[in-house]
Amino acid sequence: MYRYNLYIMKHLASAAALITVSLTSIIWLTQALRFVDFIVRRGISFVNFLELTLLLLPSLLLFILPFTLLCAVVHVYYRLMMDSEMLVLSGAGLSRFQIARPAIGVAAGVTAIAYAISLYLLPVSYHEFKGMQTFLRDNYASLLLQEQVFNSPVEGLTVYIRQRDKDGTLHGILVHDSREDAKPPITMMAEEGKLVETPQGPRFILHNGNRQEVEKGKLSFLHFDQYTLDISFYTPGGHDRTYQPEEMFLPELLFPDKNAGDPARFVAEGHNRITWPLYPLALTLLAVSVLLSGELNRRGQWQRVAVIVGIAGLVLCSGVGLLNLSVKHPWMIGLMYANVVLVCGAGIWMLSDASIRRKIRRA
């Protein structure tokens, strides 16, 4: 390998690594702040908090890799232009494609990493994240309920408690349960109660209260000395939960179960797992082809950087938008592939020598 290849690749790799670590750290901190309440007010250990938030890293990395590599390529090649090193390489007889080869090589490596995350690390880590989130919420159920606040730990369930004793006994309890659409809402009031863990999940043991239910315009009223209520935070049936597309592997997404809640969403996510890792390569080809177009000198470089940023933003927004649109319109899945393939093709075309382009036109 030519020494200039190693020289440029070393600078690209170090810049990409630095930008990736910096940007990932910032985004990870903003995401982790959502879970600080688990430590401060709900008793979760710092080790569990750290493990829970670190499981978000693969999804963050997969999302930001196209941005970080684009920034690294623009930074390194722009600096080569400003230091006149690009003129030296061109004067040595190197073609535009040869000058761009180090960036393409680094982009190919980043694309391989992105595919490893997309096809394996993402579903594994997200599955662990959701499982741990379920475990923490169900096993710390008593800590999730704050005093004198209408708590909504899950959609359709509202719990109010007036006071909590040191031994965990709750006083002045109001529960409104509308989690099951097929059944009418239920409202319960009790003088006191306690949350206990069972093999089927957390249960609310209520004492000295009443149960109210309105069905077909009639109110049923039941007084009780003791009543057991399922208060599982994910499904009425206990610890079972519906898997999200992010925690499924590619074959499960492309060929979803017939009983899946939204098969179109799974299929769209599956094709996104294939196309999104190609964006680092596509944006790299876009950046080097625009930067190396025209004269290789210091003049007019900021305009080229502006064009790169504008086109890259449009391409990435199109990729995200097409993913959402493909859920409702499956025929648009083909556009997800076209979006990235066209950028790659245009970049290769611009980097190719004029003689090669003339031969292709004649053919």
Side-chain angles (χ1 to χ4, degrees), residues 26-99:
I26 294 171
I27 299 177
W28 177 79
L29 284 173
T30 59
Q31 294 295 311
L33 288 175
R34 297 185 304 158
F35 300 95
V36 169
D37 192 51
F38 278 81
I39 292 181
V40 177
R41 304 177 67 175
R42 301 180 181 180
I44 305 300
S45 69
F46 179 75
V47 174
N48 286 333
F49 165 79
L50 191 62
E51 183 180 355
L52 183 68
T53 53
L54 285 176
L55 289 172
L56 296 171
L57 285 181
S59 59
L60 294 179
L61 276 174
L62 181 63
F63 181 74
I64 68 172
L65 278 177
F67 301 93
T68 58
L69 185 58
L70 175 67
C71 292
V73 171
V74 171
H75 168 72
V76 171
Y77 275 77
Y78 182 83
R79 194 185 65 182
L80 291 174
M81 291 280 193
M82 294 298 101
D83 294 341
S84 299
E85 293 177 87
M86 203 66 70
L87 282 173
V88 175
L89 293 175
S90 179
L94 297 179
S95 66
R96 286 180 170 79
F97 194 86
Q98 288 175 314
I99 297 174

Side-chain angles (χ1 to χ4, degrees), residues 17-310:
L18 178 61
I19 297 171
T20 299
V21 171
S22 303
L23 191 57
T24 302
S25 300
I26 294 171
I27 299 177
W28 177 79
L29 284 173
T30 59
Q31 294 295 311
L33 288 175
R34 297 185 304 158
F35 300 95
V36 169
D37 192 51
F38 278 81
I39 292 181
V40 177
R41 304 177 67 175
R42 301 180 181 180
I44 305 300
S45 69
F46 179 75
V47 174
N48 286 333
F49 165 79
L50 191 62
E51 183 180 355
L52 183 68
T53 53
L54 285 176
L55 289 172
L56 296 171
L57 285 181
S59 59
L60 294 179
L61 276 174
L62 181 63
F63 181 74
I64 68 172
L65 278 177
F67 301 93
T68 58
L69 185 58
L70 175 67
C71 292
V73 171
V74 171
H75 168 72
V76 171
Y77 275 77
Y78 182 83
R79 194 185 65 182
L80 291 174
M81 291 280 193
M82 294 298 101
D83 294 341
S84 299
E85 293 177 87
M86 203 66 70
L87 282 173
V88 175
L89 293 175
S90 179
L94 297 179
S95 66
R96 286 180 170 79
F97 194 86
Q98 288 175 314
I99 297 174
R101 188 181 298 165
I104 297 173
V106 173
V110 173
T111 298
I113 294 173
Y115 268 115
I117 296 174
S118 175
L119 301 181
Y120 180 73
L121 288 179
L122 176 62
V124 169
S125 63
Y126 200 82
H127 177 74
E128 290 294 325
F129 171 78
K130 296 301 292 186
M132 188 174 181
Q133 191 180 51
T134 303
F135 172 80
L136 291 176
R137 286 190 174 180
D138 279 354
N139 285 273
Y140 288 82
S142 61
L143 298 172
L144 291 171
L145 304 178
Q146 303 175 38
E147 298 176 68
Q148 300 184 14
V149 173
F150 285 95
N151 303 273
S152 297
V154 70
E155 185 178 356
L157 182 66
T158 303
V159 181
Y160 177 88
I161 57 173
R162 185 182 70 249
Q163 182 181 350
R164 184 203 308 272
D165 292 341
K166 292 183 179 179
D167 63 354
T169 302
L170 309 175
H171 300 277
I173 302 168
L174 170 67
V175 179
H176 183 75
D177 188 358
S178 59
R179 289 175 291 173
E180 299 186 55
D181 295 333
K183 297 181 180 180
I186 300 171
T187 301
M188 280 157 286
M189 293 183 286
E191 293 181 6
E192 65 178 40
K194 203 165 188 177
L195 275 165
V196 297
E197 290 295 330
T198 70
Q200 292 75 34
R203 296 292 185 269
F204 222 152
I205 308 298
L206 303 176
H207 299 280
N208 303 324
N210 61 75
R211 177 182 185 275
Q212 305 170 35
E213 180 180 351
V214 178
E215 186 173 8
K216 297 180 180 180
K218 296 183 179 180
L219 172 66
S220 61
F221 201 88
L222 173 67
H223 289 277
F224 57 80
D225 294 326
Q226 179 174 309
Y227 189 91
T228 302
L229 174 66
D230 178 358
I231 197 174
S232 299
F233 288 148
Y234 279 87
T235 61
H239 287 282
D240 295 333
R241 61 181 178 83
T242 302
Y243 281 17
Q244 299 296 315
E246 292 80 5
E247 54 186 317
M248 294 182 176
F249 289 95
L250 188 61
E252 298 173 292
L253 293 170
L254 296 180
F255 308 100
D257 189 281
K258 294 181 179 179
N259 297 323
D262 192 356
R265 182 185 173 198
F266 297 154
V267 173
E269 174 64 24
H271 289 284
N272 186 61
R273 295 274 189 90
I274 298 173
T275 56
W276 187 262
L278 292 172
Y279 279 98
L281 179 60
L283 296 186
T284 296
L285 287 169
L286 166 68
V288 293
S289 63
V290 174
L291 282 173
L292 298 177
S293 63
E295 297 181 1
L296 301 180
N297 52 43
R298 299 181 182 183
R299 291 176 296 178
Q301 296 304 319
W302 69 268
Q303 292 98 327
R304 297 178 191 177
V305 172
V307 170
I308 292 170
V309 172

